Tab-separated table of all heavy atoms in Angstrom:
chain	number	residue	atom	x	y	z
A	1	ILE	N	-2.527	-4.429	15.750
A	1	ILE	CA	-3.608	-5.293	15.302
A	1	ILE	C	-4.302	-5.829	16.549
A	1	ILE	O	-3.764	-6.673	17.268
A	1	ILE	CB	-3.084	-6.440	14.421
A	1	ILE	CG1	-2.411	-5.869	13.165
A	1	ILE	CG2	-4.224	-7.384	14.039
A	1	ILE	CD1	-1.803	-6.923	12.254
A	2	VAL	N	-5.487	-5.322	16.824
A	2	VAL	CA	-6.245	-5.715	18.010
A	2	VAL	C	-6.893	-7.072	17.794
A	2	VAL	O	-6.913	-7.911	18.685
A	2	VAL	CB	-7.310	-4.650	18.337
A	2	VAL	CG1	-8.118	-5.055	19.569
A	2	VAL	CG2	-6.664	-3.290	18.552
A	3	ASN	N	-7.419	-7.285	16.595
A	3	ASN	CA	-8.020	-8.585	16.272
A	3	ASN	C	-7.815	-8.890	14.801
A	3	ASN	O	-8.057	-8.046	13.938
A	3	ASN	CB	-9.520	-8.591	16.581
A	3	ASN	CG	-10.112	-9.986	16.460
A	3	ASN	OD1	-9.661	-10.919	17.121
A	3	ASN	ND2	-11.117	-10.160	15.613
A	4	ASN	N	-7.344	-10.088	14.519
A	4	ASN	CA	-7.129	-10.543	13.150
A	4	ASN	C	-7.765	-11.925	13.020
A	4	ASN	O	-7.198	-12.915	13.475
A	4	ASN	CB	-5.637	-10.609	12.835
A	4	ASN	CG	-5.368	-10.716	11.346
A	4	ASN	OD1	-6.277	-10.656	10.528
A	4	ASN	ND2	-4.100	-10.869	10.980
A	5	PRO	N	-8.972	-12.014	12.426
A	5	PRO	CA	-9.753	-13.259	12.457
A	5	PRO	C	-9.262	-14.322	11.480
A	5	PRO	O	-10.004	-14.809	10.606
A	5	PRO	CB	-11.158	-12.770	12.089
A	5	PRO	CG	-10.921	-11.593	11.202
A	5	PRO	CD	-9.694	-10.916	11.756
A	6	LYS	N	-8.017	-14.726	11.638
A	6	LYS	CA	-7.428	-15.705	10.724
A	6	LYS	C	-8.192	-17.022	10.727
A	6	LYS	O	-8.270	-17.698	9.696
A	6	LYS	CB	-5.974	-15.971	11.120
A	6	LYS	CG	-5.042	-14.798	11.011
A	6	LYS	CD	-3.638	-15.190	11.442
A	6	LYS	CE	-2.664	-14.030	11.356
A	6	LYS	NZ	-1.292	-14.419	11.780
A	7	ASP	N	-8.729	-17.401	11.899
A	7	ASP	CA	-9.326	-18.724	12.048
A	7	ASP	C	-10.826	-18.743	11.810
A	7	ASP	O	-11.462	-19.796	11.962
A	7	ASP	CB	-9.033	-19.266	13.456
A	7	ASP	CG	-7.531	-19.427	13.710
A	7	ASP	OD1	-6.811	-19.735	12.745
A	7	ASP	OD2	-7.101	-19.232	14.853
A	8	ALA	N	-11.420	-17.613	11.443
A	8	ALA	CA	-12.860	-17.588	11.161
A	8	ALA	C	-13.160	-18.453	9.936
A	8	ALA	O	-12.375	-18.514	8.993
A	8	ALA	CB	-13.325	-16.155	10.920
A	9	SER	N	-14.291	-19.140	9.964
A	9	SER	CA	-14.630	-20.069	8.880
A	9	SER	C	-14.766	-19.361	7.535
A	9	SER	O	-14.541	-19.965	6.473
A	9	SER	CB	-15.929	-20.806	9.212
A	9	SER	OG	-17.002	-19.891	9.390
A	10	ASP	N	-15.135	-18.089	7.561
A	10	ASP	CA	-15.302	-17.339	6.313
A	10	ASP	C	-14.182	-16.329	6.088
A	10	ASP	O	-14.315	-15.415	5.273
A	10	ASP	CB	-16.650	-16.623	6.299
A	10	ASP	CG	-16.757	-15.548	7.383
A	10	ASP	OD1	-15.997	-15.640	8.381
A	10	ASP	OD2	-17.576	-14.627	7.240
A	11	ALA	N	-13.069	-16.480	6.802
A	11	ALA	CA	-11.978	-15.500	6.724
A	11	ALA	C	-11.394	-15.441	5.316
A	11	ALA	O	-11.156	-16.464	4.675
A	11	ALA	CB	-10.883	-15.850	7.731
A	12	ARG	N	-11.204	-14.211	4.842
A	12	ARG	CA	-10.610	-13.984	3.531
A	12	ARG	C	-9.586	-12.861	3.632
A	12	ARG	O	-9.692	-11.988	4.492
A	12	ARG	CB	-11.682	-13.568	2.511
A	12	ARG	CG	-12.778	-14.579	2.292
A	12	ARG	CD	-12.289	-15.776	1.489
A	12	ARG	NE	-13.394	-16.616	1.054
A	12	ARG	CZ	-13.973	-17.558	1.810
A	12	ARG	NH1	-13.558	-17.760	3.042
A	12	ARG	NH2	-14.962	-18.291	1.326
A	13	ARG	N	-8.635	-12.871	2.721
A	13	ARG	CA	-7.710	-11.765	2.570
A	13	ARG	C	-8.032	-11.050	1.260
A	13	ARG	O	-8.755	-11.568	0.409
A	13	ARG	CB	-6.266	-12.264	2.561
A	13	ARG	CG	-5.889	-13.056	3.805
A	13	ARG	CD	-4.426	-13.370	3.842
A	13	ARG	NE	-3.659	-12.187	4.215
A	13	ARG	CZ	-2.358	-12.200	4.477
A	13	ARG	NH1	-1.685	-13.324	4.378
A	13	ARG	NH2	-1.730	-11.104	4.819
A	14	ILE	N	-7.482	-9.868	1.108
A	14	ILE	CA	-7.592	-9.167	-0.165
A	14	ILE	C	-6.310	-9.467	-0.931
A	14	ILE	O	-5.255	-8.901	-0.650
A	14	ILE	CB	-7.792	-7.656	0.036
A	14	ILE	CG1	-9.063	-7.392	0.848
A	14	ILE	CG2	-7.877	-6.943	-1.313
A	14	ILE	CD1	-9.312	-5.931	1.163
A	15	GLU	N	-6.422	-10.397	-1.857
A	15	GLU	CA	-5.251	-10.910	-2.559
A	15	GLU	C	-4.919	-10.034	-3.768
A	15	GLU	O	-5.705	-9.159	-4.175
A	15	GLU	CB	-5.509	-12.348	-3.012
A	15	GLU	CG	-5.856	-13.320	-1.901
A	15	GLU	CD	-4.676	-13.695	-1.017
A	15	GLU	OE1	-3.547	-13.227	-1.306
A	15	GLU	OE2	-4.867	-14.456	-0.052
A	16	ASP	N	-3.753	-10.284	-4.328
A	16	ASP	CA	-3.320	-9.555	-5.519
A	16	ASP	C	-4.367	-9.691	-6.619
A	16	ASP	O	-4.821	-10.799	-6.941
A	16	ASP	CB	-1.977	-10.123	-5.991
A	16	ASP	CG	-1.409	-9.385	-7.188
A	16	ASP	OD1	-1.878	-8.253	-7.468
A	16	ASP	OD2	-0.491	-9.935	-7.828
A	17	GLY	N	-4.775	-8.566	-7.181
A	17	GLY	CA	-5.768	-8.566	-8.239
A	17	GLY	C	-7.192	-8.377	-7.766
A	17	GLY	O	-8.101	-8.186	-8.580
A	18	ASP	N	-7.408	-8.423	-6.461
A	18	ASP	CA	-8.764	-8.281	-5.910
A	18	ASP	C	-9.152	-6.817	-5.757
A	18	ASP	O	-8.314	-5.963	-5.436
A	18	ASP	CB	-8.871	-8.947	-4.536
A	18	ASP	CG	-8.896	-10.456	-4.631
A	18	ASP	OD1	-9.319	-10.983	-5.670
A	18	ASP	OD2	-8.484	-11.111	-3.653
A	19	THR	N	-10.427	-6.556	-5.928
A	19	THR	CA	-11.037	-5.271	-5.586
A	19	THR	C	-12.264	-5.573	-4.725
A	19	THR	O	-13.165	-6.286	-5.184
A	19	THR	CB	-11.455	-4.484	-6.842
A	19	THR	OG1	-10.288	-4.223	-7.640
A	19	THR	CG2	-12.090	-3.154	-6.455
A	20	ARG	N	-12.287	-5.073	-3.491
A	20	ARG	CA	-13.336	-5.424	-2.543
A	20	ARG	C	-13.862	-4.189	-1.821
A	20	ARG	O	-13.140	-3.202	-1.620
A	20	ARG	CB	-12.800	-6.411	-1.490
A	20	ARG	CG	-12.229	-7.693	-2.065
A	20	ARG	CD	-13.257	-8.501	-2.831
A	20	ARG	NE	-12.662	-9.652	-3.478
A	20	ARG	CZ	-13.308	-10.443	-4.343
A	20	ARG	NH1	-14.561	-10.179	-4.659
A	20	ARG	NH2	-12.678	-11.451	-4.901
A	21	ASN	N	-15.111	-4.269	-1.418
A	21	ASN	CA	-15.728	-3.230	-0.603
A	21	ASN	C	-15.640	-3.616	0.868
A	21	ASN	O	-16.024	-4.731	1.238
A	21	ASN	CB	-17.198	-3.026	-0.988
A	21	ASN	CG	-17.358	-2.411	-2.361
A	21	ASN	OD1	-16.430	-1.801	-2.897
A	21	ASN	ND2	-18.528	-2.566	-2.947
A	22	LEU	N	-15.137	-2.696	1.677
A	22	LEU	CA	-15.069	-2.904	3.116
A	22	LEU	C	-15.967	-1.897	3.826
A	22	LEU	O	-15.957	-0.715	3.493
A	22	LEU	CB	-13.633	-2.756	3.631
A	22	LEU	CG	-12.603	-3.789	3.168
A	22	LEU	CD1	-11.236	-3.463	3.776
A	22	LEU	CD2	-13.028	-5.202	3.550
A	23	LEU	N	-16.721	-2.378	4.800
A	23	LEU	CA	-17.507	-1.512	5.672
A	23	LEU	C	-16.656	-1.166	6.874
A	23	LEU	O	-15.996	-2.039	7.458
A	23	LEU	CB	-18.792	-2.217	6.104
A	23	LEU	CG	-19.672	-2.746	4.964
A	23	LEU	CD1	-20.906	-3.443	5.534
A	23	LEU	CD2	-20.063	-1.628	4.015
A	24	VAL	N	-16.668	0.107	7.252
A	24	VAL	CA	-15.707	0.607	8.229
A	24	VAL	C	-16.404	1.353	9.362
A	24	VAL	O	-17.246	2.230	9.127
A	24	VAL	CB	-14.690	1.564	7.559
A	24	VAL	CG1	-13.712	2.114	8.574
A	24	VAL	CG2	-13.949	0.859	6.438
A	25	ARG	N	-16.064	0.997	10.584
A	25	ARG	CA	-16.392	1.794	11.766
A	25	ARG	C	-15.081	2.362	12.290
A	25	ARG	O	-14.082	1.643	12.405
A	25	ARG	CB	-17.045	0.939	12.850
A	25	ARG	CG	-18.402	0.351	12.460
A	25	ARG	CD	-19.503	1.377	12.509
A	25	ARG	NE	-20.818	0.799	12.227
A	25	ARG	CZ	-21.947	1.488	12.201
A	25	ARG	NH1	-21.936	2.788	12.452
A	25	ARG	NH2	-23.088	0.895	11.924
A	26	TYR	N	-15.082	3.657	12.636
A	26	TYR	CA	-13.816	4.268	13.027
A	26	TYR	C	-14.018	5.328	14.106
A	26	TYR	O	-15.112	5.854	14.318
A	26	TYR	CB	-13.138	4.915	11.807
A	26	TYR	CG	-13.773	6.245	11.439
A	26	TYR	CD1	-13.268	7.450	11.938
A	26	TYR	CD2	-14.909	6.316	10.644
A	26	TYR	CE1	-13.866	8.665	11.645
A	26	TYR	CE2	-15.509	7.511	10.338
A	26	TYR	CZ	-14.989	8.690	10.847
A	26	TYR	OH	-15.595	9.882	10.570
A	27	TYR	N	-12.913	5.617	14.760
A	27	TYR	CA	-12.817	6.723	15.722
A	27	TYR	C	-11.558	7.496	15.377
A	27	TYR	O	-10.485	6.895	15.209
A	27	TYR	CB	-12.754	6.172	17.149
A	27	TYR	CG	-12.401	7.180	18.213
A	27	TYR	CD1	-13.350	8.085	18.687
A	27	TYR	CD2	-11.121	7.210	18.778
A	27	TYR	CE1	-13.027	9.004	19.682
A	27	TYR	CE2	-10.794	8.121	19.769
A	27	TYR	CZ	-11.751	9.014	20.210
A	27	TYR	OH	-11.428	9.931	21.194
A	28	GLU	N	-11.666	8.821	15.262
A	28	GLU	CA	-10.544	9.672	14.839
A	28	GLU	C	-10.231	10.681	15.937
A	28	GLU	O	-11.105	11.435	16.359
A	28	GLU	CB	-10.922	10.397	13.543
A	28	GLU	CG	-9.844	11.312	12.982
A	28	GLU	CD	-10.338	12.083	11.763
A	28	GLU	OE1	-11.547	12.434	11.713
A	28	GLU	OE2	-9.509	12.325	10.862
A	29	TYR	N	-8.976	10.675	16.393
A	29	TYR	CA	-8.564	11.493	17.537
A	29	TYR	C	-7.311	12.275	17.187
A	29	TYR	O	-6.318	11.712	16.704
A	29	TYR	CB	-8.303	10.572	18.731
A	29	TYR	CG	-7.807	11.237	19.985
A	29	TYR	CD1	-8.684	11.846	20.885
A	29	TYR	CD2	-6.448	11.217	20.305
A	29	TYR	CE1	-8.226	12.432	22.053
A	29	TYR	CE2	-5.982	11.800	21.474
A	29	TYR	CZ	-6.875	12.413	22.338
A	29	TYR	OH	-6.413	12.994	23.503
A	30	ASN	N	-7.353	13.582	17.405
A	30	ASN	CA	-6.200	14.448	17.170
A	30	ASN	C	-5.262	14.337	18.369
A	30	ASN	O	-5.552	14.853	19.458
A	30	ASN	CB	-6.662	15.895	16.968
A	30	ASN	CG	-5.525	16.844	16.618
A	30	ASN	OD1	-4.394	16.689	17.081
A	30	ASN	ND2	-5.827	17.859	15.838
A	31	ILE	N	-4.139	13.677	18.175
A	31	ILE	CA	-3.193	13.439	19.272
A	31	ILE	C	-2.603	14.745	19.786
A	31	ILE	O	-2.429	14.929	20.989
A	31	ILE	CB	-2.073	12.486	18.804
A	31	ILE	CG1	-2.644	11.081	18.588
A	31	ILE	CG2	-0.919	12.446	19.812
A	31	ILE	CD1	-1.650	10.103	17.980
A	32	GLN	N	-2.326	15.643	18.879
A	32	GLN	CA	-1.656	16.887	19.247
A	32	GLN	C	-2.545	17.789	20.101
A	32	GLN	O	-2.090	18.389	21.076
A	32	GLN	CB	-1.223	17.620	17.981
A	32	GLN	CG	-0.203	18.710	18.199
A	32	GLN	CD	0.534	19.039	16.918
A	32	GLN	OE1	1.267	18.218	16.386
A	32	GLN	NE2	0.304	20.224	16.413
A	33	GLU	N	-3.826	17.868	19.748
A	33	GLU	CA	-4.761	18.740	20.467
A	33	GLU	C	-5.507	18.012	21.576
A	33	GLU	O	-6.143	18.643	22.420
A	33	GLU	CB	-5.765	19.347	19.482
A	33	GLU	CG	-5.140	20.204	18.400
A	33	GLU	CD	-4.393	21.395	18.964
A	33	GLU	OE1	-4.810	21.916	20.015
A	33	GLU	OE2	-3.383	21.822	18.361
A	34	GLY	N	-5.475	16.692	21.556
A	34	GLY	CA	-6.175	15.924	22.573
A	34	GLY	C	-7.684	15.951	22.420
A	34	GLY	O	-8.424	15.908	23.403
A	35	ASP	N	-8.151	16.010	21.162
A	35	ASP	CA	-9.585	16.131	20.890
A	35	ASP	C	-10.051	15.061	19.913
A	35	ASP	O	-9.329	14.704	18.972
A	35	ASP	CB	-9.910	17.494	20.271
A	35	ASP	CG	-9.753	18.644	21.260
A	35	ASP	OD1	-9.989	18.424	22.455
A	35	ASP	OD2	-9.371	19.750	20.822
A	36	THR	N	-11.276	14.583	20.131
A	36	THR	CA	-11.917	13.719	19.147
A	36	THR	C	-12.323	14.566	17.950
A	36	THR	O	-12.932	15.624	18.106
A	36	THR	CB	-13.158	13.039	19.735
A	36	THR	OG1	-12.763	12.185	20.828
A	36	THR	CG2	-13.881	12.201	18.689
């Protein structure tokens, strides 16, 4: 966990029973081949 904004004024968790949309930025790297 590089950053977990627990103390942000608008911080929320996804609690039991919740359904939420998350926007995602990602980087995917093949460890075995050493390639992005």
